[in-house]
C-alpha cells in the first residue's frame, strides 16, 4: 500500500486561497465530508475536500510566517509583477520546507504572451522579464 499526498496550490498572485471564516465553517465541512454517499467517486471527493480545506489553511499560516531575506524589485508592470509574485511564492515555499516537513517540492511558474504574431520586440521584453525575475529569485 502506498501513501496519500495532498497537492497544494499557490495562485499566480502568490496567495493561498483559503475558506473565508474558516473556524466557523470548518464544522460544516466536517459534517458534509462525514456523510457516506454510496459512490466511490463521491466518497473520495468528499474525503479530499476536507483535507484540501485544512491543508490550504495550514499552508497559508506557514507561509504567512515566512520573511524573505532578499529584496524584490518594485514594478508597475502587471506582467512582470505577476512573474515576480510567483517567484516570491516559490521562495516562501522553499524557505518553509522544514516547517512544512516536506522532502521535495515541485514548482511551476508561468508567463504568457509568447504568441506575438511577428512582433519580435515583444519577445525581448518577455525574456527581460524572465531574466529580471530569475535574478531577483536567485539573490
Amino acid at each position: 500500500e502506498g501513501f496519500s499526498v495532498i497537492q497544494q496550490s499557490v495562485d499566480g498572485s502568490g496567495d493561498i486561497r483559503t475558506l473565508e471564516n474558516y473556524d466557523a465553517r470548518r464544522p460544516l465541512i466536517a459534517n458534509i465530508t462525514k456523510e457516506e454517499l454510496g459512490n466511490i467517486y463521491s466518497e473520495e471527493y468528499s474525503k479530499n475536500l476536507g483535507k484540501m480545506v485544512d491543508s490550504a489553511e495550514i499552508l497559508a499560516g506557514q507561509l504567512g510566517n515566512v520573511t524573505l531575506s532578499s529584496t524584490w524589485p518594485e514594478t508597475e508592470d502587471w506582467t512582470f509583477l505577476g512573474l515576480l509574485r510567483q517567484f516570491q511564492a516559490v521562495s516562501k515555499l522553499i524557505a518553509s520546507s522544514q516547517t512544512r516537513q516536506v522532502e521535495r517540492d515541485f514548482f511551476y511558474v508561468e508567463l504568457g504572451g509568447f504568441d506575438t504574431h511577428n512582433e519580435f520586440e515583444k519577445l525581448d521584453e518577455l525574456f527581460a522579464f524572465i531574466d529580471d525575475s530569475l535574478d531577483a529569485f536567485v539573490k
Side-chain angles (χ1 to χ4, degrees):
E1 182 173 315
F3 57 91
S4 178
V5 175
I6 294 180
Q7 294 178 352
Q8 296 175 314
S9 298
V10 179
D11 73 11
S13 70
D15 293 331
I16 307 295
R17 300 292 180 197
T18 59
L19 182 65
E20 189 176 318
N21 199 3
Y22 173 82
D23 291 330
R25 293 186 175 157
R26 184 58 186 108
L28 175 63
I29 297 293
N31 190 37
I32 292 170
T33 58
K34 75 177 182 182
E35 292 292 318
E36 294 201 19
L37 303 168
N39 177 308
I40 191 167
Y41 300 109
S42 298
E43 297 277 341
E44 194 64 25
Y45 179 84
S46 177
K47 181 173 65 174
N48 284 311
L49 173 65
K51 287 180 183 179
M52 291 295 288
V53 167
D54 293 340
S55 175
E57 189 69 23
I58 291 167
L59 182 60
Q62 291 168 332
L63 294 185
N65 293 326
V66 173
T67 302
L68 298 176
S69 59
S70 58
T71 303
W72 293 81
E74 299 288 328
T75 182
E76 297 293 321
D77 189 308
W78 286 99
T79 304
F80 184 41
L81 183 62
L83 190 59
L84 276 174
R85 284 189 176 162
Q86 290 177 67
F87 277 112
Q88 284 175 326
V90 170
S91 292
K92 285 184 175 186
L93 287 163
I94 291 170
S96 68
S97 62
Q98 281 189 321
T99 303
R100 296 182 297 114
Q101 300 177 354
V102 296
E103 291 181 24
R104 71 181 58 93
D105 283 315
F106 176 81
F107 304 109
Y108 170 83
V109 297
E110 67 181 352
L111 175 64
F114 285 90
D115 187 8
T116 61
H117 301 281
N118 296 327
E119 294 179 37
F120 297 111
E121 302 82 32
K122 182 72 174 165
L123 286 176
D124 290 338
E125 183 180 334
L126 292 169
F127 284 122
F129 287 155
I130 294 170
D131 186 47
D132 293 343
S133 296
L134 283 171
D135 187 53
F137 176 70
V138 171
K139 289 181 180 177

